[in-house]
Amino acid sequence: MTVTTPESIGDTRGLPALGPEGTRLLRLLDDTFEGWGVDAGARPMTMPPLLPAADLAKLDYYDNFPHQAVVAAPLDLERRATTPFDTTTGRFPSDALEPAALGLPSASCYAVYLTHQGTQVADDTLVTICSWCFRKETHYEGMRRQLGFRMREIVAIGGREHAENHLAEFTTRIQSFAAALDLPLRREAACDPFFDKGSSKAVLQRLTPVKYEFLYEDLAIASVNTHRNFFGDRCDITLASTGGPAFTSCVAFGLERWLSALTRRHGSWESATQAVLDASRGASAGASGAAGPVI
């Protein structure tokens, strides 16, 4: 079913706007997912929208995701006088900019690991955040694929068992919620495309997947991700119990993608919102019940 959303504008640039109905549904979804995290013991936090590019580079971000990377730079006030804004192209020439020392992250969780760098944490630490994220894409499409979008994450930092249990528990919760929404999802192992197919990383990921996506039709709207002790090592996050590096995992929800899936499934903002309201009433019970019919 094709849903017309005249309140969404700027789609070809990857920067659509939401009117009152879409905004209400987005906030309802985010409140729901945040509530899941808080119920599990997560501390709500607010992260900066920009991160030092040097910190992201330390996490191999620009090696692993160069095709998605977006950076920010202030104007060079002296050179701007000789290289002004180009009204023909709608751009500032690169000569008018200072070096790009700030990165716009493609996922919310990077800021969590960087915020905790050099600290010791309890074995069962949980954090939940919602941040603006940014990804350069080959094309943009409504709420399905955007340059700037919002991502709610629930992040586990601590012992290996804690990180693994976190993903198992939220996998069940996502499946139950999708069943209550009458939103058929399929769970698929994801293999990051930037890995060389013959590399040791790619082989390890095929043997032990580190990411599972939940797809509606061909659109991934949520994922569960394990990072083992990668971020614990890189950010020097250690366990108070042992002094060893922390393990991390995260559960991520692309909020605008959920809007797209729900409106396609239910046909209107009103019907999609009512479905979420009805499903949310049983969310607590559903989290401990049997998983829904996920393919």
Side-chain angles (χ1 to χ4, degrees):
M1 177 182 294
T2 300
V3 179
T4 301
T5 55
E7 58 190 319
S8 297
I9 60 174
D11 293 357
T12 59
R13 298 170 297 169
L15 300 168
L18 288 173
E21 293 174 310
T23 298
R24 181 191 178 204
L25 181 53
L26 184 142
R27 289 177 177 172
L28 176 61
L29 284 166
D30 188 43
D31 287 346
T32 299
F33 300 142
E34 181 185 33
W36 293 0
V38 172
D39 287 347
R43 295 180 297 128
M45 298 184 71
T46 301
M47 296 296 166
L50 299 167
L51 295 171
D55 286 349
L56 287 170
K58 182 175 68 176
L59 303 180
D60 293 344
Y61 177 72
Y62 297 109
D63 293 325
N64 291 342
F65 298 98
H67 56 294
Q68 292 183 341
V70 182
V71 296
L75 291 175
D76 185 314
L77 299 183
E78 293 183 3
R79 285 190 289 181
R80 177 177 174 270
T82 56
T83 53
F85 181 79
D86 190 331
T87 57
T88 302
T89 63
R91 301 172 183 173
F92 280 104
S94 57
D95 287 347
L97 303 176
E98 293 184 9
L102 294 171
L104 286 73
S106 62
S108 297
C109 59
Y110 289 111
V112 176
Y113 312 129
L114 292 170
T115 297
H116 285 79
Q117 63 183 328
T119 66
Q120 284 195 331
V121 298
D123 284 26
D124 59 351
T125 300
L126 281 177
V127 172
T128 184
I129 57 172
C130 182
S131 300
W132 277 97
C133 298
F134 302 87
R135 293 181 184 177
K136 182 179 183 296
E137 302 277 9
T138 57
H139 69 282
Y140 300 105
E141 182 185 355
M143 293 177 293
R144 293 170 55 86
R145 194 171 299 275
Q146 299 175 284
L147 173 60
F149 59 96
R150 278 149 288 203
M151 182 184 293
R152 166 63 62 179
E153 293 205 42
I154 305 163
V155 182
I157 310 174
R160 180 197 294 266
E161 185 176 0
H162 170 60
E164 292 173 351
N165 289 343
H166 175 58
L167 300 189
E169 292 168 5
F170 276 88
T171 291
T172 299
R173 191 147 205 171
I174 292 168
Q175 291 173 334
S176 297
F177 188 56
L181 288 168
D182 187 28
L183 188 69
L185 301 183
R186 69 181 186 275
R187 177 176 174 266
E188 288 188 356
C191 188
D192 292 313
F194 53 83
F195 287 149
D196 175 60
K197 292 182 179 179
S199 71
S200 59
K201 283 185 178 180
V203 171
L204 178 62
Q205 192 172 27
R206 287 196 296 270
L207 294 174
T208 309
V210 299
K211 178 177 184 175
Y212 285 93
E213 294 179 330
F214 296 87
L215 293 91
Y216 174 71
E217 298 176 342
D218 63 341
L219 181 67
I221 63 175
S223 65
V224 293
N225 311 265
T226 180
H227 321 110
R228 303 187 179 93
N229 59 356
F230 175 82
F231 290 112
D233 276 332
R234 290 295 176 93
C235 295
D236 188 28
I237 307 171
T238 56
L239 296 174
S241 60
T242 66
F247 283 71
T248 64
S249 64
C250 68
V251 181
F253 304 91
L255 295 181
E256 283 85 355
R257 290 189 173 199
W258 276 82
L259 296 186
S260 175
L262 286 166
T263 51
R264 284 180 64 83
R265 180 64 173 173
H266 293 286
S268 70
W269 291 119
E270 182 180 7
S271 296
T273 299
Q274 189 60 52
V276 174
L277 288 169
D278 292 342
S280 296
R281 294 188 183 102
S284 296
S288 58
V294 175
I295 301 170

